[in-house]
Amino acid sequence: MSRVLVIGSGGREHALAWKLKQSKSVEEVFCAPGNCGIVDCAITIPDIKVDDFKGLANLVRTFEIDLTVVGPEVPLVNGIVDYWLDKGLIKEGHFIFGPSKKAARLEGSKTYAKRFMQRHGIPTANFRNFSDPCRAISYIKKQEAPIVVKASGLAQGKGAIVCHTLDDAVRAVDQIMVKKVFGDSGNKIVIEEFMPGEEASILALTDGTTILPLVSSQDHKPIYNNEKGPNTGGMGAYAPAPIVTKSVMKKIKEQILIPTIQGMRQEGSPLIGCLYAGLMIDNGQPRVVEYNLRFGDPEAQPVLTLLENDLFLLLNACVNGKLHEHKIMNKQGAACCVVMASGGYPGKYETDKIISGLDEAAKIPNTYVFHAATKIENEIFITNGGRILGVTGTGSNIEEAINTTYSCVSKISWQDEYHRTDIGQKALRNTQ
């Protein structure tokens, strides 16, 4: 029997801990720092933060953790896997699921990622990289709208701005590079052509040689219905995505996933962990919008609820180079996740609002309420961030999954709660 540590505190980490707890090979799940919802499936260590590598390493040795699963991107980009290697943890049998710092550049730098795709012939939008705002604006004025301006560094999923006029693009450069709305992540930017089509997400497990995609999904990043408003960390997701047909999936594997892991290996940065390919699909042709090197949030919630495999065995196979011995198996049907957020998110919002209805929501069959930013005071759940809960429901088809999810959402409330009401509607249109 093994012990597992999940690093992180959001809805993705709650879903990971929940799924890992189901493994017959897992004795105990720990989560650092965790949240007050994760306590149902893991022992939380709230005093150790995701960037405290020394504290996490001590925890791993103290509790004899066999496998550490890193949820968020920041510790990966900052080199937590390299730290495990340097401190001898892996040699001692304390494995860690995730890419090296060098490999994590695929997520940490959009500039690097775009150049990587260019080198290896991986389909993506035409682009230019800039570190000087004046040159970026000069370039924009010679282009046509719509056009996309992206912060090169990590921006919690909010760093890509679709600009419908060139004036909007100029303002985006000013926001990112001059006013530094995303901090140092905006020191460099990527300006790329707008890609028409419909987005999809592919989460794929890899040991650096073999790559196994999980069920397809579709995220909903903008804050408002019908894909309006600024981008967020994600307002909901569903799986599978009908836009990813068998023929499209074949192209994704052959043109994107396999060339990506082969290219990383050729460049001396073998990719181990979860490769998230954010895609735009137009007329059956997939192109890469961005790479992430970890489970998506909220995509992990519907994807993991549909996964039939023992997640621990899959992740353990990745870190031991034995993923070729496995085959992904998914449940029939569909899953939908709706994110319930604080009013005002992704801008300014208030916290410490009392959450009502969680007990009623728990009575609805085939639903799971994954906590993302909650805390308990006087035995009462209250809000503690922007994205608060990821309510996930399953069904025999996407319509049933959507209805189940929203029936659960309707039971939960707090002052100024906000959620999109159209999660999954694209799937319904694509299946009619």
Side-chain angles (χ1 to χ4, degrees):
M1 296 289 281
S2 299
R3 292 184 167 197
V4 182
L5 169 67
V6 176
I7 294 176
S9 61
R12 165 186 48 216
E13 289 75 32
H14 191 173
L16 285 166
W18 167 80
K19 187 65 178 176
L20 288 163
K21 183 67 174 176
Q22 296 170 27
S23 171
K24 294 178 181 178
S25 299
V26 172
E27 174 189 359
E28 196 65 79
V29 179
F30 296 79
C31 190
N35 63 46
C36 60
I38 295 176
V39 297
D40 286 342
C41 52
I43 297 171
T44 59
I45 317 289
D47 295 333
I48 301 181
K49 307 307 179 188
V50 300
D51 58 354
D52 181 4
F53 291 0
K54 184 178 179 180
L56 290 165
N58 289 338
L59 187 157
V60 162
R61 286 193 170 108
T62 300
F63 290 101
E64 299 179 341
I65 302 294
D66 299 285
L67 178 67
T68 296
V69 181
V70 186
E73 60 272 28
V74 173
L76 292 170
V77 170
N78 290 343
I80 190 170
V81 173
D82 305 69
Y83 186 90
W84 250 236
L85 188 63
D86 294 343
K87 298 302 179 182
L89 285 148
I90 295 174
K91 189 178 288 185
E92 295 169 17
H94 306 295
F95 294 99
I96 185 166
F97 176 82
S100 66
K101 184 175 184 177
K102 194 175 178 183
R105 288 180 297 172
L106 264 186
E107 175 167 9
S109 170
K110 289 183 176 62
T111 299
Y112 172 82
K114 295 294 286 190
R115 288 174 177 162
F116 171 86
M117 286 183 264
Q118 190 177 56
R119 287 194 299 274
H120 294 279
I122 295 167
T124 188
N126 293 325
F127 70 98
R128 287 282 298 273
N129 298 315
F130 293 93
S131 55
D132 181 292
C134 294
R135 289 186 176 181
I137 290 170
S138 177
Y139 172 78
I140 285 170
K141 290 179 177 178
K142 300 172 186 175
Q143 306 308 305
E144 295 181 355
I147 195 168
V148 183
V149 181
K150 297 179 176 180
S152 180
L154 299 176
Q156 296 181 321
K158 306 169 191 173
I161 302 174
V162 177
C163 306
H164 295 284
T165 68
L166 296 185
D167 286 342
D168 288 342
V170 169
R171 282 191 287 271
V173 171
D174 180 65
Q175 289 287 309
I176 296 171
M177 301 194 79
V178 179
K179 294 180 180 175
K180 298 286 187 183
V181 294
F182 303 119
D184 290 342
S185 294
N187 290 344
K188 295 181 180 180
I189 62 171
V190 174
I191 299 176
E192 62 182 39
E193 66 170 326
F194 174 79
M195 289 189 285
E198 188 170 326
E199 287 196 59
S201 303
I202 300 295
L203 309 183
L205 303 180
T206 180
D207 59 5
T209 302
T210 300
I211 187 160
L212 296 180
L214 304 177
V215 66
S216 63
S217 60
Q218 186 177 87
D219 187 17
H220 297 64
K221 283 211 172 290
I223 184 69
Y224 302 126
N225 283 4
N226 301 313
E227 310 308 319
K228 303 294 185 182
N231 276 349
T232 68
M235 292 304 297
Y238 65 86
I243 193 75
V244 183
T245 61
K246 286 184 179 180
S247 62
V248 169
M249 192 63 189
K250 187 173 186 289
K251 292 175 184 177
I252 292 169
K253 289 179 183 176
E254 294 175 353
Q255 300 174 16
I256 295 170
L257 299 181
I258 293 172
T260 299
I261 63 166
Q262 288 178 341
M264 291 297 285
R265 196 166 64 246
Q266 290 167 11
E267 295 192 8
S269 304
L271 191 56
I272 298 169
C274 180
L275 172 64
Y276 170 132
L279 308 171
M280 187 64 73
I281 299 167
D282 187 36
N283 292 320
Q285 298 299 319
R287 289 199 283 176
V288 177
V289 176
E290 65 176 357
Y291 287 119
N292 293 326
L293 273 299
R294 36 75 190 181
F295 287 92
D297 188 350
E299 295 97 329
Q301 286 89 308
V303 168
L304 291 176
T305 56
L306 293 179
L307 182 67
E308 276 196 343
N309 298 71
D310 183 317
L311 182 62
F312 172 78
L313 296 182
L314 289 174
L315 304 190
N316 202 49
C318 288
V319 301
N320 286 289
K322 295 182 178 181
L323 193 58
H324 64 278
E325 298 177 359
H326 294 264
K327 180 181 179 181
I328 298 298
M329 296 175 291
N330 293 303
K331 300 171 185 175
Q332 293 296 312
C336 175
C337 173
V338 172
V339 170
M340 302 183 72
S342 296
Y345 173 81
K348 292 183 179 179
Y349 55 83
E350 295 181 356
T351 59
D352 300 324
K353 306 295 185 181
I354 296 174
I355 302 171
S356 302
L358 288 172
D359 289 340
E360 287 301 307
K363 297 175 184 177
I364 298 178
N366 304 316
T367 60
Y368 314 86
V369 179
F370 296 115
H371 290 236
T374 60
K375 62 182 179 179
I376 292 179
E377 288 186 1
N378 300 318
E379 300 184 356
I380 296 172
F381 283 95
I382 60 174
T383 65
N384 192 37
R387 294 191 298 167
I388 307 302
L389 302 171
V391 179
T392 303
T394 59
S396 60
N397 55 50
I398 187 61
E399 183 175 14
E400 187 177 310
I402 291 168
N403 291 337
T404 298
T405 300
Y406 276 106
S407 67
C408 189
V409 167
S410 70
K411 303 295 183 183
I412 305 170
S413 64
W414 61 86
Q415 184 183 344
D416 298 326
E417 181 274 328
Y418 171 79
H419 62 270
R420 281 180 57 165
T421 59
D422 67 340
I423 304 301
Q425 291 304 306
K426 287 181 186 177
L428 290 179
R429 290 196 291 271
N430 285 334
T431 52
Q432 289 175 350

